[in-house]
Each structure stands twice: as C-alpha cells, then as structure tokens.
Amino acid sequence: MTQEGSVVATIAVDRHAEIGHIDPNIYGHFLESNFFGNIDGGVFDEGSPLALDGPGARTGLRRDVIQLCRDLGMSVVRWPGGNFTSPYHWEDGIGPRDRRPRRLELAWGGEESNRFGTDEFLAWCEEVGAEAYLAHSCRDVDEAVRWVEYTNHSGDTDYARRRAANGHPEPYGVRYWGLGNEVYGPWQYGYRSAQAYAEAAREHGRFMRRVDPSLKLVAVGIPWQQEEWTRPVIEQTADLVDYISLHLYAASTHLFTGDDYEAVVAQPLYFEQQIQDYAHLVTSLARRNGTERPLGLALDEWNIRHLEPAAWPEPQPADDGGVVARDTDAVDHASEGSAVHSLRVNRWSPRTLADALFYAGVFHAIHRTAGLAVPVTMANTVNLVNANGVIVARPGGAVGATSYHVWDLYQNHMGSIAVAARVETPAQTTAIRQGDNRDGAGGFVTRPGTVPYLDVSATLTSDRRSLRLAVINRHRSSTLRARIVQDGSRSPLPRFAAVRDLGADVTDVLAVNTLSAPNRVKVRDRGEVELADGTYDFPPHSVTLLTFNVT
C-alpha cells in the first residue's frame, strides 16, 4: 500500500491531557445457565476427572477452567443470565443437590437440573477471584429481597441460617445486582412496557437496598427506541441505580461466505457510535430529571455472533475445541446486500484472529468513554466459557480462545488512566455493518463510514510513570509505519519501548486456538525494541502494545 519504509501515519500522545479513569470492570464476563456449555460441561462438570471432588459447593467445578481464569484474572462475572434470568427461581438452586427440583427451562428450552445454583456460582467466584454480579428477573420483590438476604445478611434469620447450613456461615457480600434482563422484548418471560418495568425496578431496588444499602444496581436499558424506554427508567430509578445496561452484538458471516474480515474489524465503529449516543441520551435525561447520583453504562452483554444458514445441520462441539465436521451442502455465498432470511448463531464456533481485533476495537471504544458524564463502567462479554466464549472447555481439557489473549493484553498490561491520542492514518471508506441488525428484506443494515486502519488507545498507569499505547492495525496485509510523538510537548518519547503483540506472527486472519494448538494466537513478548527516529512498524491484522517509561 505504501513504499517500503515510508511513514504513513502519526500518533500524537498527550500524557498530560488525562481523559478519565478506566474501570477494571469493563473487562468483565458473563455466564448463563442452561446455555451451550457455559455451566454444564464448562465451569461445572460433575463426574469429570478434571473436576474438584469432595463435599460442598465446589464439588464438580472444573479445575482446568479455574486455573485459566486465575491465570487471566477475573473482574466481575454476571450470572445466571441472560434470558435464563427471567423465569429463574433462585431457591430451586440451593440445598442438597439431589433434592433440588428439576424444572422445565422456559428461556432456551429443555430442562434445568438446578445442580449449579447460587452457592456453586459464588464458590466458583471465590476460587477464581471474581466479583459476583447476580441478575434477578425483577418480577417478584419478595423473591429478590430474600435472595439478597440469603447472600448478604449477617443476622440470625431463616435465610441466613439456610446459607450457613449450605456451607457458608459468613455473608457472601454480593455487591452487583441486575434488575431484570431485556424486559423490553417479547422473548422474555415477564416482558412489559417501559413504565411498568420502571415502577417494578424502583420497588425492587428500594427494598433490596433495605437489606443491604451497599448494593450496586443495574437497570435495564435498550438498544432501540431508546428515549421512549429510557426516560421512565431514569425518572423512576435514577436516584437508586448505579448503571443503565446496554446490549450490543456484532455479526460475522465467514462460516458461509468464506471471509468477511473487513466487516468484522470495522464493527467496533458501530459499537462506539451506539455507546456514545446512548451515553449522551442518558446524560441528557438524567439532567432533565435533576438526577445528581452518578450513573454509568453497563455493556453487560456484548459479543460478535458467527452466523450460518439455519438449514445446515445443527453444530456440535468437537473434542479439540471447534465444531464437528458437517455436510453443509452447497450454499450460495451471500454478499452484503443479499437477502439473508434464515440465519442462526453457531454457538460452538471458535473465536478467530479477526474476532480478536474486533474485541480490541471495542475496548478502545470503551476507553474513549472515560471522560463522559456517563461512561462505560462495566462490560460483560457473552460468554466466559463455551458458547463463543473466552475459554473453550471440552471433556479432555480447556484452552484460552483468541479472545482470552485480548483480555490478557488489555486487562493485565494497559494502564488505568485514559489520555488523549490524536491519530493521522490511512483509512478506508466503506459500508459499515451495523451489528446483527437486519433490514426488511433480511439483509444486514449498513451505513457508509470511514474506517481508520490504525486505532489507538493511550493510557497511563496509576502512578503515571508508564505510558501504555495499544495500536490496532486493521489492514489485512500491509505493515504500517507510524511516527509516535508527544503532542503539546517538546520532549520526545523514550527511544526504547517494551513491546507485546498479538497476531503479528499469524498469517491466517481466521486462525483459532484449539486444545491441540493452544498458542496459535496469543500475546508475544518482544522485549525492549528501539524506535528508530520515533517510528514503529505495526504488522498487519495485529494488536501491538508499546510500554514507555516516562518517569
């Protein structure tokens, strides 16, 4: 694309222009019961030689999954859903496992054993060092109140005694609680109008806080008809809640089109527009309402869906971590403008290198909200284990997906203070897919936009002694040389930087990690590298993290 060795981009960083704090909870996760191996065969696998044995709630938890989570580090994890939340009764999942009722599961179908319940989830959180986020249906105030009492009350009530009898005398101290899940949608058990939900959320929140005033509450937001829904929610709950939720999903068609790399890596721009728009709407509505309580957005469901024709045989998990080979017959490749009437999500499709760049782009979009009045202060990707998750678990073992290493790079190596970065970069004008949204004919909704090849997030560590610069090169095949300067400062950046990258040594943008090849896509530590003339060559389809000592 350019002459070899020429500088095609400039990255100007102003470490004195601090934007705001990046909340560690943006690197959160999500688990849903009765959902494609999240729990059964994922974090919980009774009888497996890989599971913990012995009495108590930890029995059946997968050791290998626990170790991967510990190695990565966990922030906040949402459970039991998701759609599963809406018909769920938490008391079905406590007490001796063999006495728990087996129920019809009305969200995803089938039956729910309830052998993994509140105590198992919270025991797992203790094992991996995660902060628990429990989501309630917001359909029964008394049930919600008693759940908080069971987990958090330190007194001598019946529910506190039942918790002790079930193996945990001390309160769990669960801080994060969701007031419903997607109750704006007719697919939800307990679907209702904005006004009805807002009033129910207020009552639930008020009395849950009577049990534990320290609770952090999440109200349901919406990705469409936003003002109509969000206004009554703000009016009724803004003096109680800490977060308004937003759910966003991207879409990939590579399973049947062969490759849609450019569409995948561009979709963080759609996410960023949606997040920014909703943050500004919530800010405006809160100000009109006279709300003084600080609010944040909780992007507590987000991911990229791998779509495939619904006529194909149902995907089944392969022992090595992917999908069992199927006879899919000949299916016409669909172009962006095609009518795609009958697609489904392949819940077992592993994460690709292209997906990894998508996840990195979403983190950059979230980092850039740090200076907003209503920033993103929590995000939970769907899912943590299996079901397009960060970790892939099979009967013979578990492996970190490509996305696992994106979390490692950003959660464990970026700073916590966002600073200003101005980027001049080559770009492509194209039709940007608007996530998994379809038009009336079944095709994907797109909007024209400009996609910069280099996307940059600049951060400082909390002691302000280290500048961490994450750079995504979205270009499929070209290395891009960029000059890095300190904007507004005459002093140059240090000549040497510690370098980590992901994807730089991988040629296939659809590469995945498997149990037999677990390190195909991972973070590589390149050590200290000299930036000759203040420039760096960013490899194609990669993420690079440069660390400068600026003491």
Side-chain angles (χ1 to χ4, degrees):
M1 123 173 238
T2 61
Q3 290 185 349
E4 187 69 27
S6 62
V7 176
V8 298
T10 301
I11 300 169
V13 180
D14 189 349
R15 61 189 176 94
H16 300 294
E18 296 184 7
I19 296 171
H21 174 70
I22 298 171
D23 196 304
N25 282 341
I26 69 165
Y27 304 116
H29 300 280
F30 175 103
L31 287 169
E32 183 155 13
S33 289
N34 198 45
F35 190 76
F36 298 91
N38 263 216
I39 303 301
D40 294 320
V43 301
F44 184 68
D45 204 355
E46 286 182 295
S48 166
L50 300 174
L52 296 174
D53 200 4
R58 286 166 170 75
T59 302
L61 300 180
R62 282 275 294 260
R63 293 191 307 272
D64 51 350
V65 172
I66 288 171
Q67 191 60 54
L68 281 166
C69 291
R70 287 174 176 169
D71 291 345
L72 180 61
M74 293 284 107
S75 57
V76 62
V77 180
R78 184 182 181 216
W79 176 84
N83 293 353
F84 183 89
T85 294
S86 295
Y88 182 61
H89 293 287
W90 69 270
E91 288 192 61
D92 288 346
I94 62 170
R97 289 178 188 169
D98 291 340
R99 297 182 192 171
R100 297 179 191 178
R102 189 175 184 87
R103 303 286 192 196
L104 282 174
E105 205 290 292
L106 299 174
W108 297 108
E111 298 179 356
E112 168 57 35
S113 71
N114 285 303
R115 296 181 70 81
F116 185 94
T118 299
D119 292 295
E120 285 77 16
F121 173 65
L122 296 177
W124 178 85
C125 286
E126 290 177 347
E127 284 289 329
V128 302
E131 183 104 39
Y133 167 13
L134 294 176
H136 184 261
S137 66
C138 201
R139 293 190 299 107
D140 185 325
V141 176
D142 187 66
E143 183 186 60
V145 164
R146 301 309 166 199
W147 202 4
V148 178
E149 182 182 353
Y150 180 84
T151 60
N152 289 14
H153 187 56
S154 61
D156 191 31
T157 66
D158 177 67
Y159 281 96
R161 291 176 187 172
R162 289 169 71 179
R163 182 190 67 238
N166 292 333
H168 208 279
E170 297 301 316
Y172 286 108
V174 178
R175 287 198 301 161
Y176 297 98
W177 292 81
L179 303 175
N181 176 75
E182 294 181 359
V183 294
Y184 47 77
W187 57 89
Q188 291 296 324
Y189 195 103
Y191 160 61
R192 67 204 92 161
S193 69
Q195 188 63 38
Y197 166 71
E199 292 172 359
R202 180 172 183 81
E203 185 178 10
H204 280 72
R206 179 189 300 127
F207 287 99
M208 290 165 75
R209 277 255 175 80
R210 291 265 184 99
V211 181
D212 186 346
S214 71
L215 300 188
K216 301 287 188 181
L217 301 176
V218 184
V220 172
I222 191 171
W224 57 79
Q225 297 178 325
Q226 290 183 320
E227 185 164 355
E228 178 183 338
W229 175 271
T230 310
R231 182 188 296 109
V233 172
I234 292 291
E235 290 171 351
Q236 293 290 331
T237 72
D239 61 336
L240 278 170
V241 302
D242 303 276
Y243 304 88
I244 306 293
S245 72
L246 178 64
H247 295 176
L248 294 174
Y249 287 93
S252 170
T253 64
H254 74 275
L255 294 178
F256 65 98
T257 61
D259 185 354
D260 64 347
Y261 170 81
E262 280 75 18
V264 168
V265 299
Q267 283 178 86
L269 277 75
Y270 159 71
F271 269 56
E272 184 156 16
Q273 188 65 61
Q274 292 294 305
I275 291 167
Q276 291 273 341
D277 286 351
Y278 200 43
H280 290 302
L281 175 63
V282 171
T283 299
S284 175
L285 293 173
R287 285 173 178 166
R288 275 187 253 166
N289 190 58
T291 302
E292 296 182 359
R293 185 182 184 84
L295 293 170
L297 292 187
L299 191 65
D300 58 3
E301 285 192 30
W302 70 280
N303 206 336
I304 183 163
R305 291 167 167 164
H306 291 182
L307 303 177
E308 66 180 24
W312 283 7
E314 285 283 347
Q316 299 298 324
D319 288 344
D320 200 34
V323 177
V324 173
R326 298 169 286 169
D327 181 8
T328 58
D329 298 321
V331 176
D332 289 338
H333 285 198
S335 65
E336 268 301 306
S338 297
V340 184
H341 290 287
S342 188
L343 296 178
R344 66 168 176 235
V345 182
N346 184 325
R347 305 287 185 183
W348 298 105
S349 181
R351 306 291 87 183
T352 68
L353 173 57
D355 296 332
L357 270 62
F358 162 79
Y359 294 120
V362 174
F363 284 141
H364 288 201
I366 293 173
H367 293 172
R368 287 190 281 264
T369 72
L372 299 181
V374 179
V376 177
T377 48
M378 184 194 295
N380 311 78
T381 189
V382 178
N383 293 278
L384 175 59
V385 184
N386 293 327
N388 312 139
V390 173
I391 293 170
V392 176
R394 296 292 188 265
V399 64
T402 64
S403 49
Y404 179 95
H405 301 283
V406 178
W407 261 256
D408 176 31
L409 189 67
Y410 283 85
Q411 175 179 284
N412 298 325
H413 300 291
M414 279 289 270
S416 59
I417 303 167
V419 299
R422 180 172 52 83
V423 185
E424 297 175 6
T425 172
Q428 179 185 34
T429 299
T430 187
I432 298 174
R433 187 179 294 165
Q434 303 296 287
D436 192 12
N437 293 306
R438 320 289 175 81
D439 59 26
F444 289 107
V445 176
T446 64
R447 289 183 180 174
T450 301
V451 181
Y453 284 130
L454 294 186
D455 187 10
V456 177
S457 175
T459 64
L460 289 170
T461 52
S462 58
D463 61 8
R464 294 172 173 79
R465 294 183 175 182
S466 180
L467 174 67
R468 312 287 174 93
L469 195 67
V471 182
I472 304 166
N473 181 359
R474 295 185 173 114
H475 200 285
R476 178 192 289 266
S477 57
S478 291
T479 295
L480 299 182
R481 176 168 292 181
R483 177 165 284 111
I484 306 169
V485 300
Q486 288 201 78
D487 197 12
S489 173
R490 295 183 178 181
S491 60
L493 283 166
R495 289 176 54 208
F496 290 88
V499 177
R500 290 180 173 87
D501 57 40
L502 183 149
D505 56 346
V506 181
T507 57
D508 182 4
V509 296
L510 297 180
V512 302
N513 290 342
T514 61
L515 269 68
S516 59
N519 298 319
R520 185 174 291 141
V521 179
K522 67 172 297 184
V523 175
R524 314 290 183 190
D525 188 342
R526 308 296 182 182
E528 283 226 329
V529 175
E530 184 177 7
L531 277 65
D533 300 321
T535 66
Y536 192 84
D537 291 342
F538 294 99
H541 56 258
S542 70
V543 187
T544 303
L545 180 64
L546 303 176
T547 298
F548 296 93
N549 184 346
V550 292
T551 53

